[in-house]
């Protein structure tokens, strides 16, 4: 009905307003917004404009555009300060936006806290990993040192055995030398005894010869 009449008079603000109201009731918010915009364009009556802004406020609120709805109700109040309905809607939407902002802040704080705890946990894990790595490195160094000590001990054992063998051979050699010295000493003593015996025999022989010569 209104669309047909608008074909004859496309600049009629009342027809646009009624067409917008009808479309809003029918759930056609896009068509309603178009007619309300044209109503505002063609009208200069503050009270009529206030009603149009009021309807736009409901339209934006229905679509979830709370900030646009709040601005629409604010325009309605500026044009008609006595409009109680616009003031009520303005307060309701303001409170709802504040609640949403608080929830967003809480969510943001919660995310920040979670991120902080996550960073702290990562830092603790990093410190723990570094500590474990240092302990592992220390254990590895101790194990390497132990192996090195065992290797050194293993290498020193043949050297000690060789040293003991050398000492034993030296002692045996000294003992052999001592025995040889004793043999040599005995041989020398025998030679001296022989020489002494020869001297005695020579002496006796000379004495016997002298005595025989005297007897003659």
């Amino acid at each position: 009905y209104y669309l047909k009449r608008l074909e004859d008079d496309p600049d009629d603000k009342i027809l646009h307003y009624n067409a917008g109201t009808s479309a809003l009731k029918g759930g056609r918010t896009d068509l309603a917004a178009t007619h309300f915009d044209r109503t505002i364009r063609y009208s200069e009556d503050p009270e009529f404009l206030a009603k149009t802004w009021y309807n736009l406020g409901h339209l934006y609120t229905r679509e979830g555009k709370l900030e646009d709805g709040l601005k629409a109700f604010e325009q309605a109040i500026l044009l008609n300060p006595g409009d109680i309905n616009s003031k009520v809607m303005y307060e309701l939407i303001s409170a709802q936006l504040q609640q949403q902002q608080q929830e967003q802040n809480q969510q943001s704080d919660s995310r920040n806290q979670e991120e902080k705890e996550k960073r702290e946990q990562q830092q603790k894990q990093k410190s723990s990993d570094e500590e474990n790595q240092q302990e592992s490195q220390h254990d590895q160094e101790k194990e390497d040192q132990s192996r090195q000590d065992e290797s050194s001990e293993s290498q020193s054992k043949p050297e000690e055995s060789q040293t003991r063998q050398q000492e034993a051979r030296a002692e045996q050699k000294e003992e052999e030398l001592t025995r040889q010295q004793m043999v040599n000493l005995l041989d020398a003593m025998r030679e001296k005894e022989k020489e002494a015996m020869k001297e005695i025999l020579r002496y006796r022989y000379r004495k016997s010869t002298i005595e025989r010569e005297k007897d003659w």
Side-chain angles (χ1 to χ4, degrees), residues 48-210:
F48 194 72
L49 287 172
K51 291 181 180 180
T52 305
W53 279 110
Y54 177 82
N55 287 335
L56 272 174
H58 277 288
L59 185 150
Y60 292 138
T61 303
R62 184 178 298 180
E63 290 182 339
K65 301 176 181 178
L66 297 183
E67 293 182 356
D68 291 337
L70 186 67
K71 292 178 181 178
F73 288 120
E74 184 179 7
Q75 287 295 326
I77 295 171
L78 291 174
L79 292 167
N80 184 11
D83 187 354
I84 302 299
N85 292 330
S86 294
K87 290 182 179 180
V88 171
M89 291 301 301
Y90 182 87
E91 294 297 331
L92 289 174
I93 294 176
S94 295
Q96 190 172 355
L97 286 173
Q98 289 179 359
Q99 183 178 357
Q100 288 182 354
Q101 186 63 40
Q102 290 177 355
E103 291 176 354
Q104 290 177 358
N105 292 337
Q106 290 176 355
Q107 291 176 356
S108 178
D109 293 341
S110 178
R111 286 194 298 270
N112 292 336
Q113 182 65 25
E114 290 177 357
E115 291 177 357
K116 180 180 178 181
E117 292 176 356
K118 184 177 180 180
R119 288 194 299 269
E120 291 177 352
Q121 184 65 29
Q122 290 176 346
Q123 184 63 34
K124 289 181 181 179
Q125 184 64 38
K126 182 179 179 180
S127 300
S128 177
D129 292 341
E130 290 177 352
E131 184 177 354
N132 292 335
Q133 184 177 3
Q134 290 177 355
E135 290 180 357
S136 177
Q137 184 177 358
H138 181 66
D139 293 340
Q140 184 65 38
E141 290 176 354
K142 289 177 63 178
E143 184 177 354
D144 293 341
Q145 184 63 38
S146 177
R147 290 178 179 176
Q148 185 176 358
D149 294 341
E150 291 177 358
S151 177
S152 299
E153 183 179 355
S154 176
Q155 291 176 358
S156 64
K157 285 183 178 179
E159 294 177 357
E160 292 177 358
S161 177
Q162 184 177 2
T163 302
R164 286 195 295 270
Q165 291 176 0
Q166 291 176 352
E167 291 176 351
R169 285 196 295 269
E171 291 176 357
Q172 183 178 1
K173 187 174 181 180
E174 289 178 359
E175 184 177 354
E176 291 176 354
L177 289 174
T178 303
R179 290 177 181 177
Q180 185 64 39
Q181 289 174 354
M182 291 178 65
V183 171
N184 294 337
L185 181 60
L186 290 174
D187 291 341
M189 290 175 66
R190 290 192 185 98
E191 289 294 329
K192 288 182 178 181
E193 288 178 355
K194 289 179 180 180
E195 292 295 330
M197 184 60 68
K198 288 179 180 180
E199 289 294 331
I200 292 171
L201 291 174
R202 289 192 191 98
Y203 175 76
R204 288 179 179 179
Y205 176 77
R206 287 195 300 270
K207 185 178 180 181
S208 174
T209 302
I210 294 171

